[in-house]
Amino acid sequence: QSVLTQPPSVSAAPGQKVTISCSGSSSNIGNNYVSWYQQLQGTAPKVLIYDNNKRPSGIPDRFSGSKSGTSATLGITGLQTGDEADYYCGTWDTSLSAVVFGGGTKLTVL
Amino acid sequence: QVQLQQWGAGLLKPSETLSLTCAVYGGSFSGYYWSWIRQPPGKGLEWIGEIKHSGSTNYNPSLKSRVTISVDTSTKQFSLRLSSVTAADTAVYYCARFVRPDPYFDYWGRGTLVTVSS
């Protein structure tokens, strides 16, 4: 059971938009920055979003992040087949003094 | 460009000690924290712990009693030891650069599959 809650799967057609939610509590998302990671099959995760809504160099603006209260959301527009991957949210949990992740969401581009 | 190269034994027997090392190439070593993260087959990510270049550490409470992370600043390497392994410790283990206080992981190693089996 992960500390952060994500939907197990989402799907959408190429060119469409999808959002992935990440729900936590005041001890984690509510008071800390959230990051998002993309993990393509058989590869290491890659950071897409950090500090709730910032994109590292090289990450296209099709990817966006937001946070409200104890929840965060990853948005992906203009979906491509290459976006099919597992997506994870992560943050610091002040009560646990540990990094916590969501259980991951599998994105299928139909 | 920062690169993390990791290595270590991939097959262990129950009760043995897992040992992995990660070398950092490029970029600053002393200005960052360094972490280990693992992912059981078909499952999600689990943070194991972190170490600063000074040697100060912080571990996941669920693994704290069995984990040791150490650092060698002269070679820009950091290591993971996990004692008394069981089948539940079978996972891909990643090393990563940990950006604090934000916090997030911006560079990752390629991962090492460690299998625990008798």
Side-chain angles (χ1 to χ4, degrees), chain A residues 25-75:
Chain A
S25 68
S26 59
S27 67
N28 41 67
I29 292 178
N31 286 283
N32 294 286
Y33 285 121
V34 176
S35 53
W36 288 91
Y37 303 87
Q38 177 193 60
Q39 186 176 35
L40 299 171
Q41 183 70 26
T43 69
K46 177 177 75 172
V47 62
L48 293 176
I49 299 290
Y50 67 98
D51 290 2
N52 301 332
N53 55 19
K54 297 178 182 176
R55 283 177 288 106
S57 174
I59 300 301
D61 59 7
R62 300 189 299 108
F63 296 91
S64 64
S66 64
K67 188 182 99 167
S68 179
T70 59
S71 293
T73 301
L74 173 70

Side-chain angles (χ1 to χ4, degrees), chain A residues 9-13 18 79-80 83-85 87 105-110:
Chain A
S9 63
V10 296
S11 61
V18 71
L79 277 172
Q80 303 173 0
D83 296 331
E84 284 203 338
Y87 292 83
T105 298
K106 182 177 183 59
L107 168 63
T108 301
V109 181
L110 301 170

Side-chain angles (χ1 to χ4, degrees), chain B residues 36-97:
Chain B
W36 290 95
I37 299 149
R38 70 180 184 178
Q39 183 173 35
K43 296 188 178 181
L45 303 170
E46 180 180 31
W47 180 73
I48 299 171
E50 62 176 336
I51 190 165
K52 194 176 179 182
H53 69 277
S54 62
S56 63
T57 55
N58 184 34
Y59 301 133
N60 188 322
S62 67
L63 297 168
K64 188 172 183 177
S65 63
R66 298 192 292 130
V67 172
T68 302
I69 298 177
S70 58
V71 66
D72 184 342
T73 55
S74 66
T75 58
K76 297 177 68 174
Q77 296 177 5
F78 62 105
S79 298
L80 169 70
R81 288 175 62 85
L82 180 66
S83 64
S84 305
V85 297
T86 70
D89 295 310
T90 294
V92 175
Y93 287 76
Y94 296 100
C95 59
R97 191 171 81 170

